[in-house]
Protein backbone atom coordinates (compact mmCIF):
# COMPACT_ATOMS: atom_id res chain seq x y z
CA UNK A 1 0.00 0.00 0.00
CA UNK A 2 2.84 2.38 0.84
CA UNK A 3 4.52 1.82 -2.49
CA UNK A 4 1.29 2.44 -4.37
CA UNK A 5 0.79 5.70 -2.49
CA UNK A 6 4.34 6.79 -3.24
CA UNK A 7 4.00 5.83 -6.91
CA UNK A 8 0.69 7.69 -7.19
CA UNK A 9 2.11 10.80 -5.56
CA UNK A 10 5.24 10.67 -7.70
CA UNK A 11 3.29 10.28 -10.93
CA UNK A 12 1.09 13.23 -9.97
CA UNK A 13 4.17 15.36 -9.45
CA UNK A 14 5.69 14.21 -12.72
CA UNK A 15 2.54 15.20 -14.61
CA UNK A 16 2.78 18.61 -12.93
CA UNK A 17 6.30 19.01 -14.31
CA UNK A 18 4.88 18.85 -17.85
CA UNK A 19 2.61 21.78 -17.11
CA UNK A 20 2.53 24.86 -19.36
CA UNK A 21 3.11 26.82 -16.15
CA UNK A 22 6.84 26.28 -16.80
CA UNK A 23 6.80 28.43 -19.93
CA UNK A 24 9.34 31.23 -19.89
CA UNK A 25 6.57 33.75 -20.57
CA UNK A 26 4.97 32.91 -17.22
CA UNK A 27 5.97 35.41 -14.53
CA UNK A 28 6.01 32.65 -11.87
CA UNK A 29 8.11 30.13 -13.77
CA UNK A 30 10.84 29.92 -11.11
CA UNK A 31 8.30 29.41 -8.33
CA UNK A 32 6.66 26.59 -10.27
CA UNK A 33 9.96 24.93 -11.11
CA UNK A 34 11.23 25.32 -7.54
CA UNK A 35 8.08 23.84 -6.06
CA UNK A 36 8.07 20.87 -8.43
CA UNK A 37 11.79 20.25 -7.98
CA UNK A 38 11.58 20.55 -4.21
CA UNK A 39 8.61 18.21 -4.10
CA UNK A 40 10.43 15.63 -6.19
CA UNK A 41 13.53 15.92 -4.03
CA UNK A 42 11.53 15.57 -0.81
CA UNK A 43 9.52 12.68 -2.23
CA UNK A 44 12.67 10.89 -3.33
CA UNK A 45 14.34 11.37 0.03
CA UNK A 46 11.25 10.07 1.82
CA UNK A 47 10.83 7.18 -0.60
CA UNK A 48 14.41 6.07 0.02
CA UNK A 49 13.51 5.54 3.67
CA UNK A 50 10.57 3.37 2.62
CA UNK A 51 8.06 5.36 4.68
CA UNK A 52 5.11 6.72 2.70
CA UNK A 53 4.17 9.25 5.34
CA UNK A 54 7.72 10.59 5.46
CA UNK A 55 7.78 10.73 1.65
CA UNK A 56 4.59 12.79 1.61
CA UNK A 57 5.89 15.15 4.30
CA UNK A 58 9.20 15.47 2.49
CA UNK A 59 7.42 16.30 -0.75
CA UNK A 60 5.35 18.99 0.92
CA UNK A 61 8.34 20.49 2.71
CA UNK A 62 10.41 20.40 -0.49
CA UNK A 63 7.62 22.00 -2.50
CA UNK A 64 7.27 24.83 0.01
CA UNK A 65 11.01 25.44 0.20
CA UNK A 66 11.42 25.31 -3.59
CA UNK A 67 8.39 27.52 -4.13
CA UNK A 68 9.68 30.16 -1.73
CA UNK A 69 13.13 30.17 -3.33
CA UNK A 70 11.58 30.35 -6.79
CA UNK A 71 9.29 33.20 -5.75
CA UNK A 72 12.29 35.16 -4.52
CA UNK A 73 13.94 34.64 -7.91
CA UNK A 74 10.76 35.62 -9.76
CA UNK A 75 10.51 38.81 -7.70
CA UNK A 76 14.10 39.75 -8.47
CA UNK A 77 13.55 39.04 -12.18
CA UNK A 78 10.44 41.24 -12.19
CA UNK A 79 12.40 44.07 -10.60
CA UNK A 80 15.24 43.64 -13.09
CA UNK A 81 12.79 43.63 -16.00
CA UNK A 82 11.17 46.83 -14.70
CA UNK A 83 14.59 48.50 -14.40
CA UNK A 84 15.50 47.41 -17.92
CA UNK A 85 12.22 48.72 -19.33
CA UNK A 86 12.72 52.05 -17.56
CA UNK A 87 16.27 52.35 -18.89
CA UNK A 88 15.12 51.49 -22.42
CA UNK A 89 12.40 54.14 -22.25
CA UNK A 90 14.89 56.74 -21.07
CA UNK A 91 17.30 55.91 -23.89
CA UNK A 92 14.55 56.26 -26.51
CA UNK A 93 13.64 59.77 -25.41
CA UNK A 94 15.29 62.86 -26.86
CA UNK A 95 16.56 64.67 -23.77
CA UNK A 96 18.29 67.52 -25.56
CA UNK A 97 17.32 71.10 -24.78
CA UNK A 98 15.60 73.26 -27.39
CA UNK A 99 18.86 75.14 -27.97
CA UNK A 100 20.73 71.89 -28.62
CA UNK A 101 18.03 70.71 -31.01
CA UNK A 102 18.13 74.03 -32.91
CA UNK A 103 21.94 73.93 -33.06
CA UNK A 104 21.81 70.42 -34.51
CA UNK A 105 19.25 71.55 -37.09
CA UNK A 106 21.44 74.48 -38.11
CA UNK A 107 24.49 72.21 -38.41
CA UNK A 108 22.50 69.85 -40.63
CA UNK A 109 21.32 72.74 -42.82
CA UNK A 110 24.90 74.05 -43.08
CA UNK A 111 26.14 70.60 -44.06
CA UNK A 112 23.45 70.35 -46.77
CA UNK A 113 24.52 73.74 -48.17
CA UNK A 114 28.18 72.64 -48.19
CA UNK A 115 27.27 69.43 -50.02
CA UNK A 116 25.19 71.36 -52.57
CA UNK A 117 28.14 73.68 -53.16
CA UNK A 118 30.50 70.71 -53.63
CA UNK A 119 28.09 69.17 -56.13
CA UNK A 120 27.86 72.45 -58.04
CA UNK A 121 31.67 72.71 -58.14
CA UNK A 122 31.96 69.12 -59.39
CA UNK A 123 29.40 69.79 -62.11
CA UNK A 124 31.21 72.96 -63.15
CA UNK A 125 34.54 71.10 -63.29
CA UNK A 126 32.93 68.36 -65.33
CA UNK A 127 31.35 70.85 -67.73
CA UNK A 128 34.74 72.55 -68.19
CA UNK A 129 36.43 69.26 -69.02
CA UNK A 130 33.77 68.25 -71.58
CA UNK A 131 33.83 71.55 -73.54
CA UNK A 132 36.12 71.56 -76.55
CA UNK A 133 39.19 73.76 -76.34
CA UNK A 134 39.18 76.80 -78.69
Amino acid sequence: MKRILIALFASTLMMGCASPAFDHDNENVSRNKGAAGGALLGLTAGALTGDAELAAKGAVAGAVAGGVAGTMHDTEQARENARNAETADALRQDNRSDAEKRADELEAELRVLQLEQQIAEMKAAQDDSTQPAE
Side-chain angles (χ1 to χ4, degrees):
M1 179 67 177
K2 290 180 184 180
R3 292 180 192 256
I4 294 173
L5 181 60
I6 290 173
L8 181 62
F9 195 63
S11 64
T12 303
L13 283 173
M14 292 297 182
M15 288 188 317
C17 290
S19 169
F22 293 139
D23 292 343
H24 291 289
D25 295 337
N26 185 344
E27 64 185 24
N28 297 318
V29 68
S30 295
R31 180 201 63 192
N32 298 343
K33 286 181 180 180
L40 287 172
L41 187 63
L43 178 68
T44 303
L48 289 175
T49 64
D51 185 5
E53 186 177 335
L54 186 59
K57 288 179 182 178
V60 170
V64 169
V68 168
T71 299
M72 291 170 51
H73 182 263
D74 287 333
T75 302
E76 183 58 34
Q77 279 301 120
R79 288 180 183 149
E80 185 68 25
N81 291 344
R83 283 192 292 266
N84 289 342
E86 190 173 316
T87 301
D89 287 343
L91 291 174
R92 269 184 261 151
Q93 294 176 1
D94 187 2
N95 296 322
R96 297 176 299 164
S97 68
D98 289 339
E100 290 172 320
K101 290 177 187 176
R102 183 64 184 142
D104 288 343
E105 288 173 7
L106 290 173
E107 285 178 20
E109 288 176 17
L110 182 61
R111 182 69 180 142
V112 167
L113 290 173
Q114 290 172 345
L115 290 173
E116 287 174 348
Q117 184 180 1
Q118 287 176 352
I119 291 171
E121 289 172 359
M122 289 171 55
K123 283 183 180 179
Q126 188 178 21
D127 288 345
D128 289 344
S129 65
T130 58
Q131 290 182 357
E134 295 181 28

